Amino acid sequence: MAETPFLQANSVSRTYGGDQPSGVKQISLDITPGKITAIIGESGSGKSTLLRLLYGLLSPDTGTVSFKGERIWGPEEKLIPGHDAMKMVTQHTDDLNLFARVWDNVAAQLPSTNVKLKEEKTEQVLTQLNMMQLAYKRVADLSGGEKQRVAIARAIITRPEVLLLDEPFNQVDTSFREGLQHDIRQIVKETGLTVVMVSHDPAEVLSMADELIVLKQGEIVETGHPKTLYQNPLNLYTAELLTNCNVLTVDEAKVCGIEAGKETVVIYPEWIRLNNILKTSKWAVKQVLFKGFYEDLILEHNGAILRVVNDESGKYTEGDMVGLKIKKWLEY
Ligand code: ADP
Ligand code: MG
């Protein structure tokens, strides 16, 4: 007998009225339990719609969403919309009690029948999310990013089986974001929590997700492990979502010494190696963009422009001539 699927969508469509076709179409997917699945796609591609369908905040027009073999009830069928075994955190943190302390906001999610257990669990979750130092602050006095941490703590303290995250790290500073991402990964590892997250930040999905689902205009265009999708995306769309890559026409590719068989050539900046061999130094350094521990060089030759990663900061200046070798490219 086949195992009962965990969280599954079966040919799900949900469209909105209006002149432009919008929403999601014919979505079939299987969420792997105990893993982090990230849904990526450009703005308006249907990511939030899909997440709301999985949670039961929206009903599909056609198709079904099921959790452990049972159809998920839509908002018309349930007093409190949203599946009981799931929690969702979005960019909006309006349901927090601004005038209560962080501790009370989180603890209030648990029943008061066992006060000792309630205290223990609150402390545990606040520790897991590195928030004990905030415990006695009023939520009103927190930064946007700290409020989002509180929202996540409130969601996970009830031990949902699935945590749905709709771009919840947007307000979090880059430096804190990595910490929070790490903490969530750790919780997934320790507790077997299943996470489905929506994001448009390539660095975030590549470092956090075990599986990726790529949405374009409401449809899934490809799925796979982050490394596979990054190295060999089936679609130009996916490559552009995951990297800041060079996209060249056939003629521009020719300038780079590539005879392409298809219309478009994609070269990631890290696939280009720089060298100083004089006779091949045909590329002019147009710009040097400081990126911290590395630089982006913008190079030009016969009308073709390439962005290249240079990890030897300070080696080149504008106007220099350099040579390059392209190790890999993709064609679409
Ligand atoms: P994403 O989260 O990827 O930005 P959404 O799922 O929010 O995309 O939206 C997908 C498309 O559906 C967009 O074109 C959006 O304008 C449209 N849409 C979303 N919600 C509604 C709604 N309640 N009514 C009408 N159109 C909507
Ligand atoms: Mg959205």
Side-chain angles (χ1 to χ4, degrees):
M1 208 179 82
E3 229 176 290
T4 311
F6 186 66
L7 178 55
Q8 190 180 53
N10 210 327
S11 303
V12 167
S13 296
R14 164 79 199 213
T15 49
Y16 301 104
D19 2 325
Q20 298 282 341
S22 62
V24 296
K25 280 158 274 175
Q26 294 291 323
I27 301 281
S28 293
L29 55 80
D30 257 299
I31 300 294
T32 311
K35 299 279 179 201
I36 301 179
T37 301
I39 301 168
I40 60 169
E42 60 193 6
S43 176
S45 57
K47 304 180 297 292
S48 297
T49 302
L50 178 55
L51 213 60
R52 293 163 67 81
L53 284 160
L54 292 175
Y55 187 31
L57 291 185
L58 275 178
S59 296
D61 298 330
T62 55
T64 50
V65 183
S66 60
F67 180 64
K68 295 182 171 173
E70 292 188 15
R71 187 178 67 83
I72 289 185
W73 290 9
E76 307 81 12
E77 302 162 286
K78 213 168 161 289
L79 195 58
I80 302 171
H83 195 284
D84 295 337
M86 305 188 204
K87 279 274 154 50
M88 178 148 144
V89 179
T90 68
Q91 297 163 45
H92 310 289
T93 49
D94 348 311
D95 57 340
L96 299 179
N97 181 348
L98 290 179
F99 302 102
R101 299 175 308 172
V102 168
W103 177 281
D104 299 312
N105 263 278
V106 177
Q109 301 297 304
L110 296 176
S112 296
T113 38
N114 186 338
V115 176
K116 187 160 172 285
L117 187 71
K118 187 168 167 161
E119 300 241 305
E120 277 171 15
K121 281 197 158 181
T122 305
E123 180 165 351
Q124 187 195 9
V125 166
L126 292 181
T127 307
Q128 274 176 330
L129 287 171
N130 250 308
M131 299 171 60
M132 273 310 279
Q133 74 287 2
L134 299 178
Y136 301 105
K137 282 196 176 178
R138 280 190 332 162
V139 169
D141 300 328
L142 302 181
S143 70
E146 288 167 340
K147 284 190 191 119
Q148 279 182 310
R149 253 177 207 264
V150 180
I152 292 172
R154 275 162 62 102
I156 62 176
I157 196 170
T158 57
R159 296 296 295 266
E161 290 182 69
V162 181
L163 178 65
L164 303 161
L165 302 172
D166 194 345
E167 312 211 28
F169 308 131
N170 276 10
Q171 309 249 342
V172 186
D173 303 335
T174 325
S175 51
F176 287 108
R177 208 186 264 214
E178 275 180 16
L180 186 51
Q181 291 164 358
H182 171 265
D183 295 341
I184 290 176
R185 275 208 73 84
Q186 199 58 31
I187 291 167
V188 166
K189 221 187 272 174
E190 284 167 10
T191 65
L193 175 70
T194 303
V195 174
V196 184
M197 61 185 270
V198 162
S199 174
H200 62 242
D201 174 0
E204 182 164 286
V205 295
L206 290 171
S207 65
M208 271 191 91
D210 299 299
E211 312 202 357
L212 294 185
I213 295 173
V214 183
L215 274 190
K216 184 182 181 185
Q217 293 174 351
E219 291 178 88
I220 295 181
V221 292
E222 63 184 305
T223 62
H225 295 289
K227 269 191 192 151
T228 320
L229 251 55
Y230 182 86
Q231 288 297 337
N232 279 305
L234 289 176
N235 302 276
L236 173 59
Y237 174 82
T238 307
E240 290 186 298
L241 277 178
L242 293 177
T243 72
N244 192 350
C245 51
N246 296 291
V247 180
L248 307 178
T249 62
V250 172
D251 287 342
E252 290 165 339
K254 220 172 261 168
V255 176
C256 305
I258 297 170
E259 289 295 334
K262 295 186 188 167
E263 273 170 42
T264 308
V265 170
V266 167
I267 310 170
Y268 294 5
E270 71 268 28
W271 292 344
I272 303 172
R273 197 175 291 144
L274 294 165
N275 64 44
N276 291 326
I277 305 165
L278 267 180
K279 63 181 168 59
T280 63
S281 296
K282 297 178 293 194
W283 292 81
V285 178
K286 288 284 166 190
Q287 280 183 63
V288 180
L289 305 170
F290 178 62
K291 297 282 177 177
F293 66 90
Y294 70 97
E295 291 169 349
D296 270 351
L297 303 182
I298 309 296
L299 307 179
E300 196 269 339
H301 174 50
N302 280 354
I305 307 266
L306 284 178
R307 205 168 54 80
V308 184
V309 173
N310 170 38
D311 52 18
E312 295 173 278
S313 280
K315 184 166 176 184
Y316 302 101
T317 49
E318 279 170 32
D320 282 355
M321 298 301 285
V322 295
L324 50 83
K325 189 171 180 322
I326 294 167
K327 293 186 288 177
K328 179 182 170 180
W329 68 90
L330 301 167
E331 296 185 20
Y332 296 96

